[in-house]
Amino acid sequence: MAVNPPIFQIGAIQIVVLNDGIVHVDAGGPFGLTPRALYKNILMPDELNLIPMTLHSLLVRAAGKIILIDTGLGDKLNDKQRAVWALDQPGGGLIAELARQGVKPSQVDLVINTHLHADHCAGNTQFNADFTGIRPTFPNAEYVTQRREYNDATHPNERTRATYISLNYEPLVESGQMRLIDGDTEIVPGVLGVVMRGHTPAMMGIHFTDGHQHALFMSDLASYAIHFARLGWMTAYDVEPLETLESKRHWRQWALETNALLLFQHDPTLIAGRYVAESKIEPVTMITGA
Ligand SMILES: [Zn+2]
């Protein structure tokens, strides 16, 4: 069943947190080397050792544009893939979530992919009506991601290739609809892509600001809030875990200094909060009004 999504306001920028669905993954993925005795107090695995991982996307209205940040798992999955992810879509998926906000796919101006793992960009594209080819889900949008991420995705190794699925991005680059950016970039005024090395070498967080207030969409720098609260807790998915550690150290200090609103992409219980002290994140439910 669909529920009203959290909405936050940073100056004139409106951020709506959408939910493409909930996948269930082995707890060893999100918690890596962290002992079960510690993480089970945060999130108790089920009898198959699975824990829920929410797929949040952001609908952002900024600088007169309708912007979508990450696109979830999309609708190209076959039955076997849906079973592997144990995907549950109580709200009907991202397109239904957008429709409830009054947004049609054709109205989206800009799609930003924080990185190209399948759970962040598979909704970029869909099969065309007779299943003979691929078309953009958002036909009038410009798509943006980091060039380094695209190069890593198109040249994967045995460790990284499972989650890089070329149909999610290669047709968009080949048609010229996806723009590749290099490093930290203000994509539209007040919406900045910032590279946070670790989960992948060129993963981006998204920094929203009106010059006074700040929000940060963490992507997989901290998949769950606890990953930001505890520097040493990292996911087994990170390809450069010691870089994740240093990136988190940097952005925790920034979050303290700016009192930024932090948005967590995969956390099923703590969607937004503020980092206030070592191991402590205070939840924030909603900020409305400029
Ligand atoms: Zn992810």
Side-chain angles (χ1 to χ4, degrees), residues 53 115 119-120 199 220 266:
M53 208 172 83
H115 59 301
D119 57 318
H120 296 258
H199 183 65
D220 281 315
H266 293 311

Side-chain angles (χ1 to χ4, degrees), residues 66-71 108-113 120 124 138 141-145 178:
I66 296 179
I67 304 167
L68 187 60
I69 299 176
D70 283 349
T71 59
V108 175
D109 299 302
L110 176 65
V111 175
I112 302 172
N113 292 144
H120 296 258
N124 282 359
F138 306 98
E142 177 184 47
Y143 291 69
V144 173
T145 200
M178 180 175 263

